[in-house]
Amino acid sequence: MNKEYRYQLESKRLTGHQPRKLTCPHCGKRKCLVRYVDTQNGFQYVADSVGKCDHQQSCGYHYRPSEYYKDNQWARESEPHPERYCQPLPPPPPFQPLPMEYVVRSQSPGSVFWQWFSTDAARRLGLSQEQLRQVFGDYLIGATRRRCVIFWQIDHLGQVHGGHIMQYRADGHRDGFQGWTHVPLIRAGLLPPDWTLHQCLFGQHLLPRRPEAHVCLVESEKTALVMAACQPQHLWLATAGSGGLSPEKVECLQGRRVTLFPDSGCYGKWTEQMRLVKGIDYNVSSSLEAYPPNTDLCDLLL
């Protein structure tokens, strides 16, 4: 075995059995962390934290053996030069925005999500159709031919980063399917095979429009839309998941006043992430911690 490839991610092709996946230490999801094995030592695991999360778009956790040995000097006794054995990874391709025409062409009230938002949610929250259409127009919400909703991520410069496709039932709950607009575009040859998603905040394109607004940051796009309709005096943005918060993503909020509302159970994780951020007047709300795990503001309103 070539030493350059000594440490590899566990796979059935490599070991003859399905990978024994663990809970990801970053996003907290079960059975999604694939660990690195030592191909020169009976396929032993390097450590339970050394691996790659299956959810690279929403989580991005990837702790390599070279990083582990650098962080744990005691492990160097048997591996004097661990960096030799780690497969080098090429740098990710630079950010390439999607054409705005995809956003424009997708504009439609034809999603099941809109059906729920404009009927059941409107009735419960006492919202008018005009208010709902205003919110959908501001956030440039789209729909697929299969009636899934598209939550476009567009930055403050007007550059389209990607579209988060999600399927909802008529009761407003997710139906399991989610994806990204670039996947079918790559398959159709409309984007290069190495096109890489560089996420930004959902609703980020509204920042220049409302320079004085108090920014409120939540996890899901659904919650951001509901809160934008109910409390339009604030500017509501979303991270597209609990693992979607990062210092890089919130750089666009420099100089703004921000309140973060993590779902219950994620207060600690979001607080740790924000400690790495400078130049933002922020507060992480713990108000949802009194409720069952994964409760958000939208759950309370409805």
Side-chain angles (χ1 to χ4, degrees):
M1 176 68 68
N2 190 319
K3 282 189 176 182
E4 185 181 5
Y5 303 95
R6 174 172 179 174
Y7 296 109
Q8 298 188 43
L9 289 169
E10 185 181 22
S11 66
K12 185 175 181 180
R13 175 192 60 79
L14 192 66
T15 64
H17 57 75
Q18 293 293 340
R20 301 180 180 90
K21 300 182 181 181
L22 300 183
T23 298
C24 176
H26 184 258
C27 67
K29 294 180 179 178
R30 298 181 57 199
K31 297 183 179 180
C32 66
L33 181 71
V34 181
R35 289 170 289 175
Y36 277 95
V37 296
D38 185 347
T39 62
Q40 294 187 12
N41 189 23
F43 299 106
Q44 296 292 312
Y45 298 113
V46 178
D48 285 347
S49 62
V50 181
K52 184 176 182 181
C53 180
D54 287 338
H55 307 285
Q56 283 298 291
Q57 306 295 0
S58 60
C59 174
Y61 181 85
H62 191 182
Y63 192 28
R64 298 173 176 83
S66 58
E67 297 169 326
Y68 170 78
Y69 286 120
K70 182 178 179 181
D71 295 340
N72 297 273
Q73 297 295 325
W74 57 269
R76 285 181 173 272
E77 295 180 6
S78 59
E79 302 294 347
H81 302 289
E83 62 274 3
R84 294 180 184 174
Y85 310 133
C86 301
Q87 182 177 0
L89 296 174
F95 167 58
Q96 179 184 347
L98 297 176
M100 179 59 76
E101 66 177 287
Y102 291 139
V103 178
V104 175
R105 284 162 49 187
S106 75
Q107 302 301 287
S108 168
S111 67
V112 177
F113 180 82
W114 166 257
Q115 175 188 336
W116 166 80
F117 196 50
S118 62
T119 54
D120 187 38
R123 176 181 54 81
R124 293 190 189 192
L125 301 172
L127 301 172
S128 69
Q129 294 299 302
E130 183 180 352
Q131 287 174 295
L132 301 180
R133 284 192 292 269
Q134 179 68 45
V135 169
F136 258 56
D138 287 344
Y139 286 84
L140 301 172
I141 306 302
T144 70
R145 294 176 181 176
R146 297 185 177 182
R147 305 189 69 198
C148 295
V149 65
I150 305 177
F151 299 122
W152 291 102
Q153 292 186 0
I154 306 170
D155 65 25
H156 55 291
L157 302 176
Q159 301 177 112
V160 183
H161 287 239
H164 195 189
I165 303 172
M166 303 186 75
Q167 187 172 9
Y168 280 85
R169 301 194 302 265
D171 62 1
H173 293 286
R174 281 178 49 189
D175 204 19
F177 171 80
Q178 66 171 318
W180 291 89
T181 53
H182 65 273
V183 175
L185 292 174
I186 291 175
R187 289 173 181 166
L190 298 175
L191 289 176
D194 63 345
W195 192 93
T196 301
L197 176 66
H198 295 261
Q199 291 193 56
C200 68
L201 296 174
F202 171 70
Q204 185 174 320
H205 63 284
L206 298 174
L207 288 170
R209 240 200 266 180
R210 304 182 60 186
E212 303 299 325
H214 178 194
V215 176
C216 295
L217 192 59
V218 296
E219 293 187 18
S220 81
E221 299 97 333
K222 170 186 171 181
T223 300
L225 293 175
V226 169
M227 297 306 299
C230 294
Q231 297 186 10
Q233 69 272 27
H234 303 312
L235 176 54
W236 294 86
L237 310 182
T239 62
S242 63
L245 180 68
S246 68
E248 295 75 24
K249 262 193 183 180
V250 299
E251 282 183 2
C252 60
L253 303 180
Q254 294 286 327
R256 303 294 293 253
R257 186 165 59 97
V258 182
T259 300
L260 297 90
F261 293 94
D263 291 2
S264 57
C266 294
Y267 172 78
K269 178 164 58 174
W270 276 32
T271 300
E272 286 298 317
Q273 286 280 21
M274 291 304 293
R275 284 175 181 162
L276 305 174
V277 175
K278 305 296 182 183
I280 298 176
D281 179 14
Y282 74 89
N283 174 56
V284 183
S285 173
S286 61
S287 58
L288 293 168
E289 290 301 292
Y291 296 92
N294 301 316
T295 300
D296 63 13
L297 292 176
C298 185
D299 295 326
L300 297 186
L301 282 178
L302 296 173

